[in-house]
Amino acid sequence: HDSRRDKLKARWREDPARQSVEWWRKFFRRIRQTCPFLLGENPRGWTADLEWLVTKNNFAKVIEGRYKSEEVEA
């Protein structure tokens, strides 16, 4: 998917800290551990896919912790 690839490439290039597979591994682990809403635990059962996660505005919200469960301690 060209759009998904382009968005992912843009997020990678925006910050040198993100230019490693390990950073992305931690990003996805953090989502799995602290963001149940993005994994389908919401009234609609909606789940965030890769394209949604790497869309600029959505990515910023995830990084800022806006989808973090209040029950999860960080």
Side-chain angles (χ1 to χ4, degrees), residues 42-59:
N42 58 69
R44 294 185 358 231
W46 170 85
T47 59
D49 61 14
L50 180 60
E51 187 165 3
W52 188 92
L53 288 169
V54 297
T55 296
K56 187 173 182 119
N57 290 337
N58 300 336
F59 185 79

Side-chain angles (χ1 to χ4, degrees), residues 8 12 15-30:
L8 182 55
W12 177 283
D15 184 345
R18 294 184 203 144
Q19 295 174 4
S20 76
V21 172
E22 186 57 30
W23 188 94
W24 288 92
R25 193 173 282 129
K26 289 177 183 178
F27 172 72
F28 291 117
R29 188 178 307 128
R30 189 175 342 121

Side-chain angles (χ1 to χ4, degrees), residues 25-36 38-39 41 72:
R25 193 173 282 129
K26 289 177 183 178
F27 172 72
F28 291 117
R29 188 178 307 128
R30 189 175 342 121
I31 290 170
R32 186 177 67 239
Q33 294 172 345
T34 66
C35 304
L38 298 177
L39 302 175
E41 292 183 31
V72 176

Side-chain angles (χ1 to χ4, degrees), residues 33-37 41 65 67-74:
Q33 294 172 345
T34 66
C35 304
F37 180 88
E41 292 183 31
Y67 291 99
K68 201 181 254 186
S69 172
E70 293 178 12
E71 298 173 11
V72 176
E73 300 241 351

